[in-house]
Amino acid sequence: MNMLNILLMGPSGGQGSNPTVSILFFGGMIVVMWLFMIRPQTKKAKLQKQFIDNLKEGDKIVTIAGIHGKVKKMNDNNTVLMEVSPGTNFTIERSSISMEYTTAQQKAAETK
């Protein structure tokens, strides 16, 4: 027997193996993927949505592209009117606001 046959069929030469072990192995893989990949992603998405829902006029924000500004108006169509400098306004999607950069900027402003 070559090595590939031993790996695929086991050392017993192809006699049946226990299917319960395979099912438990794949079930364990699914649980590990859920714990380390899916669960943190859903938790982060929930925090991002909560962060965007709690924004109000006058809050300083940073977009994903790195543009700094202040919320001038929250629109109903999931957009935000952002004031970059006096007299210069951008309309951006709410989803383009970076939670990480905005909270870091707010913490830095509080320490000054």
Side-chain angles (χ1 to χ4, degrees):
M1 285 193 148
N2 64 17
M3 189 57 122
L4 183 61
N5 286 338
I6 292 173
L7 289 174
L8 292 175
M9 294 188 284
S12 60
Q15 295 175 353
S17 63
N18 191 356
T20 308
V21 174
S22 297
I23 292 171
L24 288 175
F25 178 73
F26 287 118
M29 284 179 46
I30 290 171
V31 168
V32 167
M33 283 179 49
W34 179 76
L35 283 174
F36 291 107
M37 295 173 71
I38 298 169
R39 187 170 169 243
Q41 280 293 82
T42 55
K43 198 180 237 185
K44 186 174 180 181
K46 184 178 178 183
L47 285 173
Q48 176 77 18
K49 183 178 179 349
Q50 186 179 29
F51 171 76
I52 289 174
D53 289 341
N54 290 333
L55 282 177
K56 59 190 176 300
E57 293 179 13
D59 285 348
K60 293 184 179 181
I61 58 172
V62 181
T63 66
I64 294 172
I67 300 171
H68 294 243
K70 192 186 309 184
V71 175
K72 188 159 183 163
K73 182 181 176 189
M74 302 292 283
N75 299 324
D76 292 333
N77 60 351
N78 283 333
T79 60
V80 173
L81 187 63
M82 179 175 85
E83 184 177 40
V84 180
S85 64
T88 306
N89 298 318
F90 290 155
T91 301
I92 61 168
E93 292 289 323
R94 288 185 188 192
S95 61
S96 69
I97 299 171
S98 172
M99 181 175 67
E100 291 85 13
Y101 291 136
T102 301
T103 54
Q105 179 191 24
Q106 289 171 353
K107 286 180 185 176
E110 289 174 0
T111 58
K112 288 183 179 180

